[in-house]
Structures are given as C-alpha cells and as structure tokens.
Amino acid sequence: MSIVIRVLSLSLLAFGMFLFPQEVLSSASASLSLWWRFVLPALLPFFILSELLMASGFVNFLGVFLESFMRPVFRLPGQAAFVVAMGYTSGFPMGAVLTARLRKSGQITRIEGERLLAFTNNPSPGFMFGAVASGMLGKPTLGIILAGSVYLANLLVGFLFRFYHITASPAQPIKLPSFKRAWQELKTAQLQDKRAIGQILSDSIKQSFTTVIMVGGFMAFFSVILRLLNIWHLTLLLATLSHFLIRFIPITIQQAFFNGLLEMTIGCQQTIQSVPILSQQIALLALLMGWSGLSVFAQVVGFISGTDLRVAPFVLARTLHGIFALGLSQLFLIFAKIPTTTLPLQPPNLSAQVLNTWHLSFLIFIGFSAVLFSLALGQRLHR
C-alpha cells in the first residue's frame, strides 16, 4: 500500500510540474536565490569550521571537560556538547549533520544519537533576529522573546529526553574534568587521523559544499511542492476542514499554520500577514519555528540516512518543542516590556542578515560554551 501511495504522489507531483512550469520555475528560482544570497554564505563557514574542529580532535578535548555535565543532565557523552553548541549557533541542519558524524564514528550510541538529535535543531539566530523580528515584524526587540522561547524550549526537550529509553544497565562512572586527560585525548585523535593538513582542509571544504548544496536542493524541492499545493488549494482545503472543528480560529490563520507545517519560512511570512494580534503572531511564530517544517524534516532524514538513527523520536521532539516554545513565548510576553510603536516594515537586507548571523552566532557559541565550561568546572570544585 505504501508503494502505491508513493508512486501516486510522485506521479501527481510530476503532473503538476508539467502542468504549471512557470510556477515551478519561479518558486524554485526564489528559493535558490534565497539559498545563494543568505543560506550559503551563512552556513558554509560553520560547516567548514565544524569539520576542521572534528578533524583536529577538539571534540574529544571538549568531551573530557564536559562529560561531568552532559552525563547527569542529558545522559550524553561530553562530545555531544560540541553538537549542542554548533546546533544552537548556526541553526538547521547543523545538529543533524554533526550527530550523524558522531554516530558514524562510533563516539555515541544509537540511543544517545536520538537523544542528541532531539534538541540540537533550531532556526539560526540570524533568521529569528534578522529575518523574522526585524524584517517581517519590524520589531527587533521581539527577537529576544522568539529566540529565548525557542532555545529554552529545546533545552527542556533535551532534559526530558534524558529519560528516553533508559536501560537497566549500570550507569557509566562520571569522570571529573582533567586538562591532562583532555590534551591526551586530543593528541590521540590527531595521531589516529593520518591525513596531512592540506588533505584535511580539502576534505572539509568538499564535505561542507556537498552538505550545503543538499540544503539548497531540499529548499527548492519543497518550495515547488508547497507552491503546487497552494495552486491546487490543498492547504486552504485543510484549513477549511479544520475550521469546522476549531471555529474560533480564522481560516487565514489556519492556512498559515498548515503552510508552516510544510515550510517554516513561508508559514512565518503568512503568519505576519494574516494574524492581526501581536501575541497571536508570536505564539504561532514560536510554534512554527519549534516544529521547523517538513522541509527541515526531510533534510534531517537525508543526513542521518547512513546511520541507524530513527526519525520517530525526532518528530516527537519537534512536536514538544513547538508546544513548549508557544507557551514560553506567551509567558515572556507577559513579563517583557515591548514598545507599543510599530517600526516601519522594510524588506529584509539579506547581506546585513548574513553579517548579523555571524555576529550573533559567534556570541551565542562563546556564551554557550562558557556556560558549559563554568558548570563543569564548578562541579569539579564542588567535589
């Protein structure tokens, strides 16, 4: 039955692409333009950096220091802290890429990989602060509420997933941070990698370009799918059917919700256009950014396809993330002092957003790493 559904779906998609070639061309061109101007320059440096850091043994070094914090809080090895920091720094799909790398190298188990995958996928800080808060809403201060809701909600998901698939096997002993042992782990990792520095750099750039090109392909493909669904009014049909069950929510808001379930960016844009009340805008934006969209789901599935990691825990985590982010955003709105004046809406400056992404990502990476190191060292001093 699943084979029949798959064939019919692909046949319908092919029929739509032949029937509406101009719409397919325009939607694919728009998504690839966004990828070229924003995603490529924003993500590529972080992909290359992460590959170089992993090849240099920095992840092993970091793992020794943060084992005493990551084990009791998230039931993860210390190496997972690097994935958490990079995932929160650069956004989708860095968490999935690095989690798959750790699993393929045997540094984490399947269960640990599924725990890690559950809470290391976020929108990038540049997207939340630059594209949504400043560009779409015209209120940069709201970026703090959106980012705070999304990040804190994901950490809550990570803490909940520490209880995921707990076995009866004895707990692993937690070793305290040791600079000597961390340095030894780094040297061992470098000795095991026989490649010359030029080869490491070449492989890092090649792997990073392959990854970021895959991201562009997913963006274009799902942009075409969503465009065809809107041409056929299928998302409007879903919103209309849903309206019969939930009548107090307007159809326009429900249509923005269904579009956001498929593609986060388009859902965020339609949310700003169709939702008139600020608190409702923030709630739906936080929900969609926590959920992330089927486009991101497909990217994650593609990157973990070479491992034994399962997708079902990731879907559950994204559902919880969206719900938690929605609730936290409303709590933050209650206690925050948001300016009542609306800033003029301007088309977002993508070049400025790229620079803003690098700046914010650097600050978040340094801040997050400093917090983790402080907690680990504090635990050592306490003992």
Side-chain angles (χ1 to χ4, degrees), residues 35 93 207-220 298-299 301-305:
W35 172 81
Q207 180 64 36
S208 300
F209 258 107
T210 301
T211 303
V212 80
I213 288 173
M214 286 182 62
V215 173
F218 279 115
M219 290 178 60
Q299 294 179 38
V301 171
F303 289 121
I304 67 172
S305 59

Side-chain angles (χ1 to χ4, degrees), residues 22-36:
Q22 189 60 44
E23 287 76 4
V24 169
L25 179 62
S26 61
S27 59
S29 298
S31 62
L32 288 177
S33 175
L34 179 65
W35 172 81
W36 173 258

